[in-house]
Amino acid sequence: MSFCRFLFNGLRKKMGQNGSLFKNNVKLEVPYSQFTNKLRVKRMLSKKIALVALFTIFFATTTVAQTTIKGRVADQTSGEAVAFANVMLMTDTSASARLITGAVTDMDGRFSLQGKTDGKVLKIQFVGYTTKFIDLSSQLKAGGTIDLGAIALSQSATALKEVSVTALRKRYTMDGEKIVMNVDDGVTATSANAFEMLRKVPGVMIDNNENITLNGKSGILFQFNGRDMRLPAESMKAILKSLPASSVAKIETIGSPSAKYEAEGTAGIINIIMAQAQTEGFSGTASSWHAISEENYRTFNNASLQYVNDRWTLSANGGFGFFNSRIESESKQYFWEGADTTMIHMQPVSEPNRFITGNFTFTADYKIDSNNSAGASFSFSANRKPELENYPTRYYYIYRYPYSTVDMSYAIDADNPAMSRNFTGGLYYNHKFDTLGSQMSLSLDFTRDMSDNQNLSSTRYYSGRLNKDSLLRSEDPCDSTFNTFSSYSLKFDALKQFSKKMGLEYGIKSRLSIVDNDFRRYLSQDPLLSPISTNQLKYKENVNAAYVNFSHRITDKFSYRAGLRFEHTGISLEQKATGEDTSYHYFDIFPNFNLNYNFNQANSLSLTYAYRITRPDYNSLNPFVSQSSQYSFRSGNPDLLPEYSHRVDLSLRLFYMIFIQASYGYNNDEINNITTPYQGSLIATIQKPYNIGYQQFASLSLSGMLPLGPVDWTFWMQGAYLQAKANSPELVMNVERFSFITWQSLTVKLPWELKFSVNGMYMSGMYQQGMEMGNMMMFSAALTREFFKKSLRVSLGVNNIPAQKMEINSSMNNYRMQSYMMWDKPSVSLHLQYSFGKTANNNSIKRLQSDDMDDRKGEGGGVEQPGGNGMGQ
C-alpha cells in the first residue's frame, strides 16, 4: 500500500489543481469542456497513467538504490560500542519476515548498508541484548542518506543469565598479561580516592606504612593513561590520594609488559585510566564523599566538565579533600650480643594522621581528520601534611634481660609535616597509515615535583622510669629535606601491519631525570640556628631505549609475539658536602615473548616471559642520616644497584569468566628497607635500603566473575611461596614464607532499584621489605540508588570492618622486632554524585595513545584474532 500511495501522490501532483485522478472512491473527475467523449478520455487517461507509472517506478527504483543507511550501535548503559552486531533490513517485524540485506558492525559499533525498495524495518541483534526494530518505511521514501546516529541496545536479563558474557566480561577481565578492574558503583561508593581504590584491586596490597605491592612484590611502575609516572614514592602516593574515585574509569595491572614499555618495575605496571567524556556536547559530574569514624572525619569533593564534538574532546577536572585518621601502634625491639640482651619497649600510642590535597587537570584532544589526531594535557596537584598543634608523645622503656627492671627511658614528641607540588604535562601526535592498523605516534612529556619533608622532634632521656627528677638531658634532632624532581621524555612509536595476521612494532625513547635533594639537620627546631649537618645530592639519570616487537597469528588458534628492548642508562651522583662525584653507564637487553592458543572463542591458554629492571628510588639514594633519637636513625644508600627480575606466567581463560594463572619469578639484587644495629651499637638501629641478594617466588591464582541469580560475584585468590636470601657483612637472612591472599566482591540487585555491594579482603600473612606481616581482614559495604533518570547517585557505606590491625615481625643479624599497628578504624560514608549533559550521540574521539596498555587483540601484538581482542569484546 505504501507504493500505491507514492504513485497516487505523484499523479495528483501531475494533474495539478484543475483535475484529479482516483479521487472520491477512485472516480475520475475532469472539466467536461476539455473532453468531448468518454472513450477519448479513457484512452488519454490510460496513456498518461502508463507513462507516469513507468516514470515513477524508474525514479523510485533509482532513488532507493542510492539510499545509504548508517549508524552506530552502543550499549545503553555504558555507552560502549557493540562490535559484530547483526544489522538487517527486513520486510516487516513478523517471524516470517524476509531478509533483504544486512551488515555487521565494526569494532567501533558502526555500520553502513544500502536500502532496498521492499525494505521496511531495520533489525539489530546481538547476543546478550534485546533485539531492536526501527521503522524506516517513511525515511526510505526520501532517499539519500539515512543517518540513524547512536542506536542504544539494552541488555537482556534472560540472555545474561544464559550466556553470562556481554556485560560481565567488560567489568572484570584478565589475560596472560593483564588484569583489568572496571570501576563501578560498588568500588567508588566506598573509596574517596584512587589510593583507597587500589586496596580493592586484585593482587594489590597496601600495608600499614602505605607501601604498595603487586602480587606481594614491590618495584611497581605507575602509569596514568599509559604514561610513565616515575616519581618519588611519597609524591606518587600523594598524587593517588588527590585523584577522586569517580574520575577513574579502570585500573590495569600487568605483570609482564611487552618490549614497547620501559623495562622499569620488576613487579610490573599499575595503569590508572581516567574517565573520559563519551557523549557529544557538554557533560560533567559533581561528587562529594564524606566519612566519619569516632572523632575522625574525611571528605573529598570533585567537579569535572567535558565537551565533545566531531573534532574536539576537552576535559577539565578539579577537586579538594581533607583526611583525618589515627594510627595506634606498639613495638618491642630485642638486641643481643652473646648473653647480653636488651629490649626497647615502645608503649602503646595513638597518633593523628592528617592530609590535605587539591588538584586540577585539563586535557584537549583534536581530531585533525580521519587519519590524524593531536592533543595536550596538563595537571597540577598540591598536597600537605600539616604540622600538628600538639605533638603526640612516644614513651620508650629500656630493659636488660630478664626485662623486669627499667634501666633507662626516653620520650619523643615527634611530628613529620610535609608539603608537595606536582606539575605534569604532555603533547602527542598520532597518524594512521592504512586500514590494516599501521600507525605512528610522537609524544613529549614532562614532570616537575617539589616537596619539603620535615622531621621535628624533641627527645628527653631519663635514668630509670620516666620521672622529672630523673631527667638526664634533652635534645631536638630536627631536619628537613627539600626535593626537586624533573623528568623529560621524548618518544616515537610505530606499528606496521603487513597483514591482519602479521605486524611489527618498533620505537625509540629518551628520558632525562634530574633530582636535587637538599638536606639540612638542626640541633633545635629554631631554623635560625646553624645546622650541624648539611648535604646536597644532585642526581641525573638518562635512559635511551629502542625496541622491536614482532607478532604473528599463524593459525586461527595459535599466535605469538616476541620482542626485544635495548636500554642504555647513564647516571651521575654529586654530593656537595663531601665533594664526591660518581658517574657510570650500563647497557641492558630485555627480551620478552608471549604464546597464545585459543581452544575456541571463549577459552585460551597463554605463556608469557619478561625480563625487567627496577632502578633505586631517587629518595633511596640519599646518603643523609635522619635521627629521631640516639637509638633510632634512618638513611638512604647511594651504593644501591639496580634490581633485575625474570618472570614466567602461564594463564588459562575459561568461558570468559574464570582465569587461572601460575607464575614464577626470580629477582637478583632485591632492594629492601632493612632495620639493623647502627654502627656497632647494642641498642641503636638504622633503617636503610640494601640489595639483599636474591628473592624467588611461585604463585597460583584463581580469579573471575560469576553471575549467581541476582548476585554478581567477583573474586581473586592467590597462594604464593617466597624465599629471600642474603649473606653479606651488612645482612644475613634466609626467609621462607607461604602466604594466601583473597579479594572478594558481591553486588546484589534489590527491589526499588537498590544495589548492595560488599568488598572483602583477607591475607594470611606475607613477607615484605625484610618484615613478616601477620593476618589481616577487612570488609566494606555500600547501598546505592539512582534518582532523576540516573543523574543523581547516592551511596551509603560502611568501611574498614573490623579495624585494620596487623602484626609485624622482623629478625636478622642480632636484631629482632615485634610490633603491631592499627589504622583506618570502621567508618560510615556518604557519597553523592550528580551527572549532567547529553547522552544520546556517544561521539567521543578515541585517540591512539602512544603508551596505552597493549591492545594486542588476542595476544597477537596488533594482529587481529577471531572474536575481537581474544577476550570476546
Side-chain angles (χ1 to χ4, degrees), residues 55-340:
F55 173 80
T56 305
I57 293 171
F58 174 78
F59 176 80
T61 304
T62 55
T63 301
V64 174
Q66 296 175 354
T67 300
T68 300
I69 306 170
K70 65 179 183 178
R72 181 179 184 273
V73 181
D75 184 283
Q76 186 178 42
T77 303
S78 67
E80 295 184 3
V82 178
F84 309 113
N86 294 316
V87 182
M88 298 163 284
L89 186 62
M90 311 293 293
T91 55
D92 54 63
T93 61
S94 67
S96 59
R98 180 169 54 89
L99 172 66
I100 300 171
T101 185
V104 177
T105 60
D106 60 16
M107 291 301 295
D108 196 36
R110 301 188 184 279
F111 68 90
S112 178
L113 56 85
Q114 297 299 316
K116 302 295 181 181
T117 57
D118 49 351
K120 303 296 186 298
V121 175
L122 195 69
K123 180 180 179 181
I124 304 171
Q125 192 174 43
F126 189 67
V127 176
Y129 289 89
T130 301
T131 301
K132 187 160 191 170
F133 294 93
I134 301 176
D135 184 1
L136 296 178
S137 55
S138 59
Q139 298 185 60
L140 282 170
K141 294 178 184 178
T145 299
I146 302 174
D147 189 353
L148 298 175
I151 304 171
L153 292 188
S154 60
Q155 296 174 11
S156 170
T158 303
L160 280 179
K161 290 177 182 178
E162 294 176 352
V163 182
S164 304
V165 172
T166 304
L168 297 180
R169 68 173 182 259
K170 292 181 179 179
R171 291 180 57 193
Y172 183 81
T173 61
M174 177 180 174
D175 58 32
E177 303 178 2
K178 178 173 56 177
I179 298 176
V180 181
M181 186 185 79
N182 293 301
V183 176
D184 57 16
D185 299 350
V187 177
T188 58
T190 56
S191 304
N193 52 45
F195 185 80
E196 293 190 5
M197 191 181 295
L198 281 177
R199 300 182 189 272
K200 301 175 175 64
V201 176
V204 176
M205 173 65 189
I206 301 178
D207 67 13
N208 53 294
N209 291 318
E210 297 188 340
N211 296 311
I212 305 173
T213 59
L214 177 60
N215 295 326
K217 284 189 51 56
S218 56
I220 300 169
L221 174 63
F222 277 93
Q223 292 182 338
F224 287 162
N225 289 334
R227 293 181 172 179
D228 298 344
M229 297 293 288
R230 285 184 51 82
L231 290 169
E234 291 302 319
S235 297
M236 190 67 249
K237 288 188 290 186
I239 292 176
L240 289 170
K241 291 178 180 178
S242 71
L243 290 176
S246 58
S247 68
V248 179
K250 61 180 67 176
I251 300 177
E252 298 179 335
T253 62
I254 181 168
S256 303
S258 74
K260 177 179 179 179
Y261 305 101
E262 192 166 338
E264 179 69 25
T266 55
I269 295 174
I270 295 179
N271 184 25
I272 311 292
I273 299 179
M274 309 304 294
Q276 293 184 344
Q278 294 291 318
T279 58
E280 192 175 69
F282 284 99
S283 61
T285 60
S287 64
S288 184
W289 185 91
H290 307 267
I292 186 169
S293 171
E294 295 181 356
E295 74 275 17
N296 301 322
Y297 173 70
R298 304 180 181 186
T299 182
F300 197 96
N301 305 280
N302 174 262
S304 64
L305 180 66
Q306 298 88 30
Y307 174 75
V308 176
N309 62 20
D310 289 337
R311 298 256 179 203
W312 285 97
T313 297
L314 304 175
S315 177
N317 184 88
F320 172 83
F322 171 78
F323 301 87
N324 186 13
S325 63
R326 300 194 72 84
I327 299 176
E328 298 180 6
S329 60
E330 179 184 5
S331 69
K332 293 180 180 181
Q333 301 177 76
Y334 297 88
F335 309 81
W336 62 89
E337 187 172 351
D340 193 5

Side-chain angles (χ1 to χ4, degrees), residues 372 486 812:
N372 298 276
S486 303
M812 57 198 67

Side-chain angles (χ1 to χ4, degrees), residues 822-866:
M822 180 184 294
W823 71 103
D824 286 346
K825 292 185 177 181
S827 63
V828 178
S829 64
L830 174 65
H831 185 201
L832 305 174
Q833 179 172 310
Y834 177 74
S835 302
F836 60 92
K838 299 180 180 179
T839 58
N841 294 329
N842 196 14
N843 191 24
S844 64
I845 296 174
K846 296 184 178 180
R847 65 184 178 93
L848 306 173
Q849 294 186 9
S850 61
D851 220 1
D852 195 9
M853 297 301 275
D854 259 341
D855 184 12
R856 284 177 290 278
K857 297 184 180 179
E859 315 302 329
V863 176
E864 186 177 359
Q865 294 292 327

Side-chain angles (χ1 to χ4, degrees), residues 690-710:
Y690 293 94
N691 295 106
I692 67 168
Y694 76 87
Q695 178 175 293
Q696 60 180 341
F697 75 94
S699 65
L700 180 65
S701 64
L702 173 67
S703 56
M705 185 169 184
L706 298 175
L708 304 173

